[in-house]
Amino acid sequence: MNGRYLQFALAWLVSACVGCTSAQVRYYTLASPPGKISSASKSSVAIEVRIIHVPPQLNRSELMIRTGPTEVALLENERWASPAKDEIRDALRLELQRRLGRMTEMRPALTKLTLDIDVQHLEAELGRYALLEAFWSATLYATEQSVGGQAETCTFQADEKISAGYAGVVEGYQREIAALAEAIVAVLTSPASGRDVSCH
């Protein structure tokens, strides 16, 4: 009897261990792959991105998705590679670096970009959409002079249709971060830009 009990206990322990190891944790990043930003497109402009606010749910390592009009799900096995706040900052800095790299070839005097960003929403529903809404303000400098204007109330919103799966959610966010960088550079380098420039 004891032998049978011991065999049963060992079998249960093995199956429990297998069950524990089968739930693989996957990690995601918003940053562009290293090969996407060539050395030729890297900017010499010093870029400072400051995330001044993110929604409370982004202060977690787990991804969160919307599952209905009033419900969200916390995904224990789908996680950010670093805190979401850092992922947004680093991804945005890389996208700005790529775009300003093209520009500094024509305007080598550009030296510094400072950006403050207030993330209002970053949410998604599997296989349907990814949404990014943010306020931002930034200044682009040439030597010691501001040439890109301080935009005090600029807003950005992107609503991407996404493919199925959790990777589809992250890829949707990546496209939105790239679109945000494109919008920031477009405003700051517009011929109409100046210290009194604002966008709504």
Side-chain angles (χ1 to χ4, degrees), residues 19-144:
C20 290
T21 58
S22 63
Q24 180 184 1
V25 177
R26 288 175 287 269
Y27 294 90
Y28 300 92
T29 181
L30 288 174
S32 301
K36 187 176 178 181
I37 300 177
S38 66
S39 58
S41 66
K42 288 184 179 179
S43 174
S44 59
V45 176
I47 300 173
E48 182 181 12
V49 177
R50 299 176 294 205
I51 308 293
I52 61 174
H53 170 265
V54 293
Q57 64 267 28
L58 293 181
N59 288 324
R60 311 182 64 98
S61 60
E62 301 92 343
L63 269 68
M64 186 176 287
I65 60 167
R66 185 172 287 279
T67 56
T70 61
E71 297 178 355
V72 295
L74 189 66
L75 307 174
E76 292 289 343
N77 295 326
E78 315 296 327
R79 302 190 174 210
W80 294 113
S82 60
K85 185 175 180 178
D86 295 342
E87 288 290 330
I88 295 169
R89 182 197 64 210
D90 294 343
L92 189 51
R93 185 169 54 216
L94 283 171
E95 293 293 341
L96 289 167
Q97 182 184 69
R98 182 163 63 118
R99 285 157 179 79
L100 289 173
R102 302 181 195 134
M103 188 163 300
T104 51
E105 294 175 1
M106 298 177 290
R107 300 174 67 181
L110 297 177
T111 59
K112 184 180 179 181
L113 170 66
T114 61
L115 170 69
D116 289 338
I117 182 163
D118 179 340
V119 179
Q120 295 292 299
H121 293 97
L122 186 71
E123 66 175 50
E125 187 172 345
L126 276 179
R128 297 193 62 192
Y129 73 89
L131 172 68
L132 170 62
E133 293 181 348
F135 300 125
W136 62 270
S137 61
T139 306
L140 184 62
Y141 294 89
T143 60
E144 299 300 321

Side-chain angles (χ1 to χ4, degrees), residues 156-176:
F156 175 85
Q157 178 174 336
D159 189 349
E160 285 270 334
K161 291 183 179 179
I162 59 175
S163 57
Y166 302 120
V169 170
V170 178
E171 288 166 2
Y173 287 154
Q174 287 177 333
R175 292 193 297 272
E176 290 171 340

